[in-house]
Structure formats: C-alpha cells, structure tokens
Amino acid sequence: MADSMMGAVELGLLYALMALGVYITFRILDFPDLTVDGSFTTGGAIAAIMISHGFAPWLACLAAFAGGLAAGACTGLLHTKGKINGLLSGILMMIALYSINMRIMGRPNISLLGGETLFTSMSPIALVLIIVILFKLLLDVFLHTDLGLALRATGDNARMIRSFGANTDNTTILGISLSNGLVALSGALIAQQSGFADISMGIGMIVIGLASVIIGEAIFGARSVFQATLAAVLGSIVYRIVVALALRVEWLNASDLKFITAVIVIIALVFPSLQRTIKQKAMAKRRSAELIARALQSNKGGGR
C-alpha cells in the first residue's frame, strides 16, 4: 500500500507540470486547448529520440520544452491570425501533431532502457519535486510581471485590455505557447521515468489536466495566483492517489482508468455547484427565519 501511494505521489508530481500548463489555458486564458493531447506526446518523442541518439537528458528536456512552445504557438496563430475557433484550432493542431510526432520518432514506440536519463543517478521523486517547485515559482513570478498581468487580463476581459493598447493576440499566443511548453516538458519527464515514448501516450491528457486543476481548486481553493498554481500541483497528486485507490478495488482494472478519470472530473465539476446551492439555500432559510422573527416581534409590539 505504501509503495503504491509513493508511486502515485511520484506520478502526480510528474504530471503536475502538465496541470500547470492546463491551468494557464483553462483558468487564465479561458481557452479550450486540445493541443495538449498532441504536445504531451511531442515532448516525450523529442526527449526519447534525442536520448537514444546520445544527447544529454537535460538538453533533451529543453528541446522538448521548445517543441511544446512551437506547437502552442501554431495553435495560437491559427486562433488569433487565422480567426479559427479556439476549440477547432486545438483539434486541428492535435491531429497534425500525430503525424509530426510519428515523423519525429520514426516508429510508434521508442525504448529508453539502458539509456541515460535524468533519473539514472538521482531519486525520481526528489528530482521531480525540485523541478516542479522551480517551475511553479517561476510561473508565479512571471504572472506578477507586467506581461503576466496582461496575460491574466486577456483572459478576464480581452476588450478592456485592448482599450489600454495591449495586443491580446500576442498575449494569447504567449499563454498557449507557455502552456504547451510545460505540457511537453511533462511528457519528456514521463518518457524518461517510464523508459519509453509511445505515439499514443498523450491520449486523454487534457482530461487528466482538467481533473487536476478542478480537484485542486475544489479542495485547496484559488484565491491568489500562488494558491491557484499550488492547487494545480496538489490536485495532480490527489488525482493520482484517488486513481491508485480506485484501481485497488477488486472489480476495477487498468482498462477502467479512463472511466475512473471521467467520474472524478464529473464529481469535481458538480461538487462546487452543489456546495454553492446548499450554501444559498441555507442563507435563504436563515434570512426567512430572521424576517419571520422580526415580523413576530413587530406584531407583539403593535399588540401592546
């Protein structure tokens, strides 16, 4: 049990960078970016092919991050300059990336067994924890700069930020690029940790990212940028722990993972609205009780 929980925490940290990327598009830009499913594989493909050809693992990670930036920039350009619907832009880029990833890899699967990775000489959980904390803090700092504030304002009210002379097209492209860069970096780390990269490794990543962000916000809140990014990281860990516990149920197996993910996302989406409804009903009952009490007091006073 302890080993499975440690494995879940390690996986949660590995996917935390992807959750941070989804947080940028989903929460900050309010952009439905399905490029994630393709750019995750792009990161793993670039890292795997470079490591298998003798490049240093850290250099492979940088190249994967750059590949994700390029994929995100293409989606942003399709949406802002091509005037294509945001959802459709992501779908088109995701489809294109399947062929691009196959070109990068040259075959559907690349093994890294025996190759030197970032985790060869250091504990995976310790190294990933350092990487996640570093990128989380860097993202926090960036979102408090002028450019980061413009990015946040673009998602909140694009018309208002345009009235101040800011170019919302550029900030949108920047946000989507940064998001997919983090997603690709997560893919590169996953490929090195698992020892292989597969053409289908990115399928369903957007749902996992959304689950991590929504679960994190529902449990830990998102009152500030620091708290929101921390919630995305912790949400990724909680999600993996919940999945690990669910898979220990006898009548569930690994093939039910997608169904479990869908159920977790549905619960995470419905829970906050149920919470609000319960609070609103409780407040309405309290107000009606106060009004009744005041009416009774006024009647007693009038009777005297």
Side-chain angles (χ1 to χ4, degrees):
M1 182 69 175
D3 289 341
S4 64
M5 288 300 100
M6 284 300 295
V9 171
E10 183 182 324
L11 271 179
L13 287 170
L14 285 165
Y15 283 102
L17 291 175
M18 188 261 296
L20 287 174
V22 172
Y23 165 75
I24 294 172
T25 49
F26 180 61
R27 283 302 188 210
I28 294 180
L29 285 177
D30 193 23
F31 184 87
D33 185 23
L34 293 183
T35 315
V36 169
D37 282 17
S39 59
F40 185 87
T41 306
T42 301
I46 292 173
I49 200 71
M50 288 187 69
I51 291 172
S52 63
H53 281 77
F55 287 90
W58 65 269
L59 189 59
C61 287
L62 286 178
F65 182 74
L69 289 176
C74 290
T75 302
L77 287 169
L78 287 174
H79 175 60
T80 58
K81 306 303 181 184
K83 306 302 179 185
I84 299 174
N85 175 272
L87 185 62
L88 185 56
S89 299
I91 292 172
L92 289 171
M93 198 60 209
M94 177 184 66
I95 294 170
L97 282 173
Y98 183 90
S99 296
I100 293 170
N101 294 335
M102 186 64 81
R103 282 280 186 176
I104 293 170
M105 297 171 68
R107 53 187 183 276
N109 188 289
I110 295 178
S111 175
L112 294 176
L113 294 177
E116 184 183 354
T117 67
L118 288 175
F119 309 114
T120 302
S121 57
M122 189 172 178
S123 169
I125 195 167
L127 179 58
V128 176
L129 182 62
I130 293 169
I131 293 172
V132 170
I133 291 173
L134 176 63
F135 274 90
K136 181 246 186 289
L137 294 177
L138 286 173
L139 181 60
D140 290 343
V141 171
F142 168 73
L143 291 175
H144 283 93
T145 63
D146 290 343
L147 187 56
L149 290 171
L151 179 65
R152 291 159 62 188
T154 299
D156 289 336
N157 193 330
R159 185 176 297 178
M160 181 196 72
I161 196 68
R162 277 197 298 268
S163 69
F164 290 119
N167 191 322
T168 54
D169 285 357
N170 290 344
T171 52
T172 299
I173 294 169
L174 172 66
I176 299 171
S177 298
L178 183 58
S179 168
N180 284 279
L182 290 172
V183 170
L185 180 59
S186 177
L189 293 175
I190 288 289
Q192 293 182 61
Q193 186 265 351
S194 58
F196 70 94
D198 189 85
I199 193 65
S200 62
M201 65 187 290
I203 295 175
M205 284 301 113
I206 183 62
V207 179
I208 294 173
L210 289 174
S212 301
V213 172
I214 294 166
I215 290 170
E217 290 181 351
I219 297 175
F220 305 104
R223 295 184 184 86
S224 64
V225 170
F226 180 87
Q227 191 175 0
T229 53
L230 181 62
V233 172
L234 295 178
S236 177
I237 297 171
V238 171
Y239 166 77
R240 282 293 156 185
I241 291 173
V242 171
V243 169
L245 291 173
L247 291 176
R248 292 181 69 86
V249 178
E250 290 183 3
W251 51 273
L252 290 174
N253 52 52
S255 64
D256 298 320
L257 181 59
K258 300 298 181 186
F259 174 76
I260 295 168
T261 299
V263 170
I264 292 171
V265 173
I266 291 168
I267 293 171
L269 286 169
V270 171
F271 181 73
S273 61
L274 283 176
Q275 229 177 4
R276 283 194 296 269
T277 303
I278 292 168
K279 284 182 180 179
Q280 287 171 358
K281 286 183 177 179
M283 288 177 66
K285 285 182 180 179
R286 196 179 302 120
R287 285 175 184 172
S288 62
E290 289 175 356
L291 289 172
I292 292 169
R294 287 176 185 175
L296 290 172
Q297 285 179 355
S298 63
N299 288 336
K300 285 181 181 178
R304 291 175 186 173

